[in-house]
């Protein structure tokens, strides 16, 4: 397993595949993760999402300064397998994007919970964070949604 896996992480094993669910963040039904520090959340795609997409070849980054609502479409991730829309897990203003992904979109595959983060958002309502899926609930979602 990769170096970004910690002993307290949840590992979901399905059909010879392992999916990592980090315990220090929250998740969406649409396979994004968010970790809140103060009023700023860092957002990315989950290990499950990147493994389902396979090799990511490009990612459309949101515009800095853009105001978004929870669940709003943010951009598109293109892989050799498919294109997939991703969404904002929280309402607020985009304050930073991971420019490294422009030249190295594969960072999402290599380190989805670290260097492969997508954007940072200053949240309007930190209470929304509590409405996201807990790591345990997300792990269950992965188990039940896998075909």
């Amino acid at each position: 397993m990769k170096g970004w896996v910690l002993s307290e992480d949840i590992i979901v094993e399905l059909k010879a595949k392992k999916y990592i669910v980090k315990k220090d963040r929250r998740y969406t039904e649409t396979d994004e993760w968010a970790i809140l520090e103060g009023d700023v959340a860092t957002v990315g795609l989950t290990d499950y999402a990147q493994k389902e997409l396979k090799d990511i070849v490009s990612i459309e980054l949101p515009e800095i300064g853009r105001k978004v609502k929870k669940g709003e479409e943010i951009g598109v991730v293109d892989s050799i397998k498919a294109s997939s829309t991703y969404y904002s897990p929280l309402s607020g203003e985009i304050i930073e994007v991971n420019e490294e992904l422009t030249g190295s979109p594969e960072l999402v595959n290599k380190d989805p919970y670290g260097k492969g983060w997508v954007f940072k958002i200053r949240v309007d309502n930190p209470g929304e964070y509590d409405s996201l899926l807990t790591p345990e609930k997300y792990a269950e979602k992965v188990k039940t949604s896998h075909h």
Side-chain angles (χ1 to χ4, degrees), residues 74-86:
I74 292 285
V76 175
V77 181
D78 289 312
S79 74
I80 57 169
K81 184 177 167 189
S83 289
S84 181
T85 303
Y86 69 96

Side-chain angles (χ1 to χ4, degrees), residues 8-113:
E8 66 268 19
D9 294 337
I10 299 170
I11 297 175
V12 179
E13 293 190 53
L14 296 164
K15 295 183 185 169
K17 278 191 180 177
K18 290 184 181 180
Y19 302 101
I20 310 306
V21 179
K22 304 291 266 174
K23 280 201 162 183
D24 63 351
R25 58 204 70 203
R26 293 293 183 97
Y27 298 87
T28 66
E29 290 283 349
T30 50
D31 304 310
E32 294 84 19
W33 59 262
I35 188 164
L36 188 63
E37 296 169 65
D39 67 345
V40 174
T42 302
V43 177
L45 303 176
T46 66
D47 186 41
Y48 175 75
Q50 68 86 11
K51 282 180 178 154
E52 290 299 295
L53 283 165
K54 302 240 187 316
D55 296 327
I56 293 172
V57 294
S58 73
I59 184 161
E60 183 184 325
L61 297 172
E63 195 177 315
I64 292 174
R66 178 176 165 190
K67 296 284 241 171
V68 295
K69 294 278 180 227
K70 179 180 176 182
E72 186 176 321
E73 190 176 303
I74 292 285
V76 175
V77 181
D78 289 312
S79 74
I80 57 169
K81 184 177 167 189
S83 289
S84 181
T85 303
Y86 69 96
Y87 304 86
S88 181
L90 302 160
S91 301
E93 181 183 351
I94 308 292
I95 58 167
E96 192 179 339
V97 296
N98 188 350
E99 296 287 352
E100 257 193 283
L101 297 180
T102 305
S104 302
E106 71 279 0
L107 285 173
V108 175
N109 293 120
K110 290 181 181 159
D111 191 5
Y113 296 121

